[in-house]
Amino acid sequence: MKDLTEHFIAGERVYDGVLLKVQCDLVRLPDGSEGTREYIRHPGAVAIVPVFDDGRVLLERQFRYPHRRVFIELPAGKLEPGEPHLDTAKRELLEETGYAAEEWTRLGVLHTAIAYTDEAIELYLARKIREAGAAQLDAGEFIETLLLPFDEAVAMVADGRITDVETVAGLLWVRTFLR
């Protein structure tokens, strides 16, 4: 197999936002020539598939400004510096929904848009769900929770009502490999 590795020569941060950092790097290409790579640096995230004992799944409705519409999604959130992925998953489930889980299973990792971001989302299945208090949303965060039969959520993927990548992947992962 050919070595397709691109090697870093030099780079600079061209935008330093609160969440996203945009990087522009000069790289040596496999044929020895040079190229430019622009990409978004992301702190990493988790997404949780919370499944109740009766088979219902906990989802969220949230307005997403870049698309100017409401999406149906799994509970999810970004890592805090130095925070382990599972700790982030537990924190985000509680903060966004007011629920906690007794059983956690790591499903895998998703690389959301490999051509222009280093974002990686760790997927978790949460079981033995229980109410743990009121949701504690971040300032400016508005979320409505939904409890749906798991098969209905999967049907929403099939008919296009759910299009968010980690939600599609998480629901289908559980449906395909764990049910």
Side-chain angles (χ1 to χ4, degrees), residues 149-161:
F150 194 89
D151 289 341
E152 184 178 333
V154 170
M156 293 171 78
V157 170
D159 69 19
R161 287 179 286 165

Side-chain angles (χ1 to χ4, degrees), residues 31-111:
D31 67 0
S33 64
E34 295 180 356
T36 301
R37 298 291 180 254
E38 296 175 347
Y39 58 100
I40 298 168
R41 302 289 316 226
H42 189 280
V46 298
I48 305 107
V49 185
V51 179
F52 286 80
D53 291 343
D54 65 5
R56 292 177 300 159
V57 63
L58 177 62
L59 298 171
E60 301 175 346
R61 291 181 68 244
Q62 188 170 12
F63 185 84
R64 294 301 190 172
Y65 185 80
H67 292 276
R68 311 290 199 282
R69 72 178 189 91
V70 171
F71 283 83
I72 297 173
E73 311 170 36
L74 293 171
K78 72 176 181 68
L79 299 173
E80 295 297 333
E83 185 178 36
H85 289 86
L86 181 56
D87 290 352
T88 302
K90 291 176 179 180
R91 176 179 53 77
E92 288 291 342
L93 181 62
L94 182 61
E95 286 178 1
E96 291 188 355
T97 70
Y99 287 93
E102 292 178 27
E103 290 182 11
W104 291 87
T105 304
R106 181 185 179 274
L107 300 176
V109 63
L110 302 173
H111 294 101

